């Protein structure tokens, strides 16, 4: 009977865990990102059960920003989220190990270990982490969240672990006809994201910090 139970549990397991041969990431082409478009933000809110900023303290996992080059006056619109660093400062400063990086490069927060100290919020150079101030209701079953915890973009890890290979923001951007966000395996030379990264120069935000980001930008 014991062996039978073990066999049943193994058969029911949805995945074998994060694949260390993979590094999930995103490529954002700012020349295709439309100013004023917030489809990626709305898709993230819907996918993860976020309120969308109805309160000033509401968590936000992705935000659109407008930048302007002082010398030339050239402007660009781009989404900013957790950059999924290879060497994440948030993980370094976390006193409980709640902030961690998976084997496939996705940086996450374990809400059961998070004590709400917010050291990681201060350590993040990209202002990508939010703190949950209010009680949460009507949560998504695939995206557990908790009051008093820190959270941020997970690259739709629940989708990845279910066998899908696209984020809600990238999917929404494609449906809107922009195609500014590409998601994929940065380690696979044959993946769409790798081919596009080779075809044109990419930029990492605050490259001077040498954090080796999983999110790359083109056109900046």
């Amino acid at each position: 009977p014991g062996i039978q139970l073990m066999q049943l549990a193994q058969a029911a397991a949805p995945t074998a865990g994060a694949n260390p041969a993979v590094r999930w990431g995103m490529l954002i082409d700012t020349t295709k990102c439309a100013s004023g478009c917030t489809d990626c933000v709305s898709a993230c809110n819907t996918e993860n059960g976020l309120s969308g900023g109805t309160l000033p303290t509401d968590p936000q996992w992705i935000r659109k920003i407008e930048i302007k080059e002082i010398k030339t006056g050239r402007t660009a619109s781009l989404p900013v989220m957790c950059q999924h660093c290879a060497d994440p400062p948030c993980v370094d400063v976390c006193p409980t190990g709640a902030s961690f990086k998976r084997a496939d490069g996705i940086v996450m927060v374990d809400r059961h270990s998070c004590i709400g100290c917010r050291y990681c919020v201060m350590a993040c150079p990209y202002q990508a982490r939010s703190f949950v101030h209010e009680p949460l209701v009507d949560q998504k079953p695939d995206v557990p969240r908790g009051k008093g915890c820190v959270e941020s973009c997970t690259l739709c890890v629940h989708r990845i672990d279910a066998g899908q290979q696209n984020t809600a923001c990238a999917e929404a951007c494609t449906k809107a006809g922009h195609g500014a966000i590409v998601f994929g395996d940065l380690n696979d030379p044959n993946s769409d994201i790798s081919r596009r990264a080779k075809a044109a120069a990419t930029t990492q935000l605050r490259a001077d910090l040498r954090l080796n980001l999983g999110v790359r930008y083109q056109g900046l």
Side-chain angles (χ1 to χ4, degrees):
I3 293 174
Q4 261 189 330
L5 288 173
M6 289 178 64
Q7 289 174 339
L8 287 170
Q10 290 171 353
T15 64
N19 184 355
V22 172
R23 188 184 182 191
W24 297 113
M26 285 199 290
L27 179 67
I28 299 170
D29 187 344
T30 61
T31 65
K32 297 180 179 180
C33 186
S35 178
C37 175
T38 57
D39 285 351
C40 58
V41 178
S42 298
C44 177
N45 292 337
T46 300
E47 181 74 20
N48 298 293
L50 306 178
S51 65
T54 54
L55 294 173
T57 56
D58 283 352
Q60 188 177 36
W61 292 12
I62 180 173
R63 67 189 191 278
K64 282 293 295 290
I65 67 170
E66 307 288 327
I67 62 174
K68 181 178 181 179
E69 189 174 5
I70 297 176
K71 292 183 179 179
T72 64
R74 186 175 69 91
T75 61
S77 179
L78 60 147
V80 177
M81 68 292 287
C82 172
Q83 301 292 293
H84 297 279
C85 313
D87 300 300
C90 57
V91 173
D92 289 341
V93 302
C94 181
T96 66
S99 291
F100 67 99
K101 186 184 72 171
R102 294 196 349 163
D104 55 9
I106 300 177
V107 178
M108 299 180 63
V109 179
D110 181 352
R111 67 187 181 93
H112 298 291
S113 303
C114 179
I115 58 174
C117 68
R118 287 166 272 189
Y119 287 167
C120 63
V121 175
M122 293 181 283
C124 177
Y126 308 103
Q127 300 180 12
R129 293 205 157 185
S130 299
F131 182 75
V132 182
H133 291 269
E134 307 294 336
L136 300 172
V137 295
D138 300 326
Q139 295 189 55
K140 298 276 185 164
D142 292 335
V143 189
R145 303 167 61 214
K147 179 183 177 182
C149 296
V150 173
E151 57 186 29
S152 61
C153 162
T154 65
L155 289 181
C156 289
V157 68
H158 57 285
R159 287 184 167 211
I160 294 171
D161 289 347
Q164 301 181 54
Q165 294 191 3
N166 205 8
T167 61
C169 59
E171 188 176 85
C173 189
T174 300
K175 286 183 178 178
H178 303 304
I181 304 177
V182 180
F183 175 78
D185 180 7
L186 292 166
N187 285 346
D188 181 2
N190 297 315
S191 66
D192 189 25
I193 189 172
S194 292
R195 290 198 300 268
R196 293 197 188 193
K198 289 179 181 178
T202 62
T203 300
Q204 298 185 34
L205 299 183
R206 289 300 310 271
D208 58 305
L209 297 177
R210 299 183 180 181
L211 298 176
N212 188 5
L213 309 183
V215 180
R216 316 288 170 84
Y217 293 84
Q218 288 181 335
L220 290 182

